[in-house]
Amino acid sequence: MPEEFFAPISNQQTPPTYKFFDGKEWKDSTSGKTSDVISPIDASVVGKIQVVTTNEIDAVMEATYVTQRSWEATPLHQRVKIMHLAADWIRHFEEYLSSLLSREIGKTLEEAKSEIKRTADLTDYFADEVQSLRGETLDSDNFPGYDKGRIGIIERVAYGTVLAIAPFNYPVNLSASKIVSALLMGNSVVFKPPSQGAISGLHLARIFQKAGVPPGVIACVTGGGGEIGDYLVTHKRVDLITFTGSSDTGLAIAQKAGMIPLVFECGGNNPAVVMPDADMNLTAREIIKGAFSYAGQRCTAIKYVLGTKQTLEQLLGEVQKQMPEFVKMGDPRSPETKLVGPVISQDAATKIETAINDSIQAGATLVTGGKQNNSFIEPTILINVKPTMATVATEVFGPVVSFVAVSDMGQAVTIINESRFGLQASVFTKDEGAGIAFAKELNVGTVQINGSPQRGPDHFPFLGVKASGLGVQGVRYSLESMSRLRPIVLNKPQ
Ligand code: G3H
């Protein structure tokens, strides 16, 4: 791929057409079909991406299959060096990638920059951490009935070809998190970026190529999930799928993929539980950040707040007081805009507005926001919401938070544990002991005490239960997820 790939975006008079990467070369698809990537900011075309064919997918799968063994045999210190170089290239292109991200997916410039910086740091951290992963040997005589006649040599090895499917909300960071962990463990990677976010994803693939990942070890195929998704997830050459996206898509993939390992991060409808003794100033700040960052399009966003009627009234006053300081909807490229740019598309905005109206019709009260304008949805607060209403029962991927009054904390536990989702929950209280005791009651991946839900720090384990995920991610955990144990037993009959 020529270096005009990284030509300043402002110099691009007509929207560029991006090639896909078959692992060796950047190509136009023989389908002759491209798909437009539309900016959610102003509906302009950011660029065109290839819609690859099933034959092209077969060729890519064959190439990654053939090269995987030699990649795994490459000394680890060389793979580590390549990843550190990739981190440096990501940093080198920080300005470029941030403005691309902001235009392609509508993140504020500040959020986009933070995604790029975080990706470079994560790549370095992965490359450092992998060096401390160890195999082990086991003695047989520990188990009753066995003498010393066997030694288990337990190695950690690659699965083979990893299919990495990334979401639109972190097209660089969540793609890199899958790709880097898979490559470091010796897998080859077929990377399917999100349709919206594909241009950022293609740039990331180019960076891995630039950093020295050998030909055939990583490929990047583009096209709509509806067009190539099923073919990819059922391909016989795929040994593991790592996916981030909605719970419905995750379930559909799991049903089709058959008996291969799956590492999924899916939807989260994360609650914040506010105890009567909570620090209302801090709680309001965290709820605002949790609900409205990247226009609520984070699987870790706060979607509903649980507390007694009196606590919620007090909290609402504090949230309304702080909103103007922290939230301002607008063009995400403007420094004036805070947290809320557009959502990913006009269609998505329409669905969000429908969910808000459904809740209102079912008896919820709109406190602020609620209106759609093209791809923009005003930051919205609803009160008098019940768990069965649309804005709590479904994952609304937008800047909407619902206040749900409970009679006591026991009812809050029931609501959370009966939810279809189980990614994270927050508990706000000045009594940390009570917070920990409450956390232990909740059937979710992670509980945050006095903080809003979030994936980072990225070396912490990150997982969802129920419809929110499969497997564990987070630096060491991702490396483990991307590899399997290979025991070799040396028998020495005595
Ligand atoms: O959207 C899913 C992401 O994993 C959330 O990451 O908590 O850093 O925003 P975040």
Side-chain angles (χ1 to χ4, degrees):
M1 176 60 65
E3 276 322 295
E4 55 266 28
F5 208 70
F6 287 93
I9 294 169
S10 53
N11 292 356
Q12 294 166 356
Q13 299 302 321
T14 51
T17 299
Y18 293 94
K19 297 172 190 287
F20 79 98
F21 184 45
D22 77 354
K24 294 181 180 131
E25 288 176 71
W26 293 85
K27 287 181 168 167
D28 289 323
S29 171
T30 53
S31 71
K33 283 201 232 162
T34 58
S35 156
D36 288 348
V37 176
I38 308 283
S39 172
I41 303 171
D42 52 10
S44 61
V45 179
V46 186
K48 293 168 181 295
I49 53 165
Q50 306 295 317
V51 178
V52 302
T53 65
T54 52
N55 283 345
E56 283 159 347
I57 291 173
D58 288 342
V60 156
M61 291 288 178
E62 218 41 48
T64 48
Y65 172 73
V66 168
T67 51
Q68 186 269 323
R69 277 179 171 264
S70 59
W71 172 243
E72 189 174 9
T74 303
L76 181 63
H77 65 85
Q78 286 181 26
R79 281 184 268 144
V80 163
K81 197 167 163 196
I82 291 170
M83 290 308 138
H84 280 310
L85 269 175
D88 289 346
W89 278 118
I90 292 167
R91 280 190 193 96
H92 178 81
F93 289 118
E94 179 183 319
E95 285 296 318
Y96 179 94
L97 290 170
S98 310
S99 53
L100 171 60
L101 258 187
S102 190
R103 183 157 172 232
E104 191 178 14
I105 62 159
K107 233 171 214 193
T108 66
L109 260 186
E110 196 187 340
E111 288 166 332
K113 279 188 182 161
S114 137
E115 173 170 350
I116 301 305
K117 186 180 175 312
R118 179 181 183 182
T119 307
D121 292 343
L122 177 66
T123 302
D124 276 334
Y125 203 114
F126 266 128
D128 291 338
E129 182 77 16
V130 72
Q131 297 175 76
S132 67
L133 278 196
R134 308 243 182 281
E136 60 179 346
T137 60
L138 292 178
D139 301 322
S140 52
D141 62 326
N142 296 16
F143 200 87
Y146 286 85
D147 58 18
K148 289 186 181 296
R150 291 171 175 79
I151 296 177
I153 304 165
I154 320 296
E155 294 176 292
R156 198 162 262 289
V157 296
Y159 276 104
T161 298
V162 166
L163 172 62
I165 307 178
F168 77 79
N169 63 346
Y170 281 96
V172 173
N173 182 268
L174 281 172
S175 304
S177 142
K178 298 170 192 321
I179 294 167
V180 175
S181 53
L183 290 178
L184 282 169
M185 295 315 292
N187 301 281
S188 55
V189 174
V190 175
F191 168 38
K192 158 74 177 74
S195 304
Q196 186 112 24
I199 301 176
S200 304
L202 287 162
H203 282 77
L204 184 68
R206 170 66 184 136
I207 281 175
F208 287 116
Q209 185 193 20
K210 256 173 113 64
V213 175
V217 173
I218 178 169
C220 183
V221 292
T222 52
E227 280 146 316
I228 59 171
D230 283 1
Y231 197 74
L232 283 167
V233 302
T234 54
H235 203 284
K236 66 169 195 243
R237 288 291 187 217
V238 172
D239 299 297
L240 179 149
I241 301 174
T242 168
F243 161 79
T244 300
S246 73
S247 296
D248 290 342
T249 308
L251 184 61
I253 294 175
Q255 281 165 345
K256 287 170 193 151
M259 249 171 91
I260 58 171
L262 305 172
V263 182
F264 282 2
E265 178 200 345
C266 296
N269 237 18
N270 312 289
V273 180
V274 186
M275 302 221 176
D277 73 336
D279 173 337
M280 289 298 161
N281 187 295
L282 172 138
T283 306
R285 201 166 61 237
E286 288 297 312
I287 285 175
I288 291 170
K289 187 176 79 178
F292 300 123
S293 301
Y294 185 34
Q297 298 172 108
R298 297 162 55 239
C299 58
T300 45
I302 291 180
K303 293 298 170 193
Y304 60 106
V305 182
L306 296 164
T308 60
K309 197 164 182 297
Q310 202 186 5
T311 304
L312 292 189
E313 275 167 13
Q314 213 188 331
L315 176 69
L316 181 62
E318 192 59 40
V319 168
Q320 286 177 301
K321 200 164 91 191
Q322 293 190 23
M323 280 271 279
E325 188 187 342
F326 296 110
V327 184
K328 184 164 187 323
M329 184 174 83
D331 185 321
R333 297 162 300 185
S334 156
E336 303 288 297
T337 302
K338 294 177 194 163
L339 303 184
V340 181
V343 295
I344 197 65
S345 65
Q346 192 162 334
D347 274 2
T350 304
K351 279 190 195 135
I352 296 163
E353 197 194 34
T354 305
I356 295 168
N357 289 335
D358 284 353
S359 283
I360 293 170
Q361 278 194 350
T365 312
L366 182 68
V367 174
T368 183
K371 289 275 166 301
Q372 173 195 4
N373 180 9
N374 297 316
S375 298
F376 288 79
I377 284 276
E378 292 171 347
T380 301
I381 300 176
L382 293 162
I383 56 171
N384 300 324
V385 186
K386 302 276 177 241
T388 47
M389 294 182 189
T391 50
V392 177
T394 60
E395 188 188 21
V396 176
F397 223 49
V400 182
V401 63
S402 298
F403 281 44
V404 180
V406 289
S407 49
D408 55 34
M409 291 301 119
Q411 194 188 358
V413 173
T414 307
I415 292 171
I416 294 168
N417 289 349
E418 286 190 357
S419 163
R420 176 185 178 220
F421 302 98
L423 189 62
Q424 295 207 354
S426 292
V427 182
F428 292 92
T429 171
K430 286 194 190 119
D431 181 343
E432 291 172 355
I436 290 175
F438 189 82
K440 292 183 183 183
E441 299 293 317
L442 302 181
N443 186 22
V444 299
T446 301
V447 181
Q448 306 271 352
I449 297 173
N450 294 327
S452 56
Q454 56 187 299
R455 178 166 39 117
D458 290 340
H459 64 302
F460 282 18
F462 183 53
L463 67 152
V465 299
K466 298 186 273 183
S468 291
L470 287 173
V472 188
Q473 297 179 81
V475 175
R476 169 167 288 265
Y477 311 96
S478 294
L479 292 167
E480 287 172 357
S481 296
M482 293 295 164
S483 56
R484 70 171 180 90
L485 297 179
R486 180 174 61 198
I488 296 175
V489 183
L490 197 54
N491 288 277
K492 301 181 297 176
Q494 299 189 333

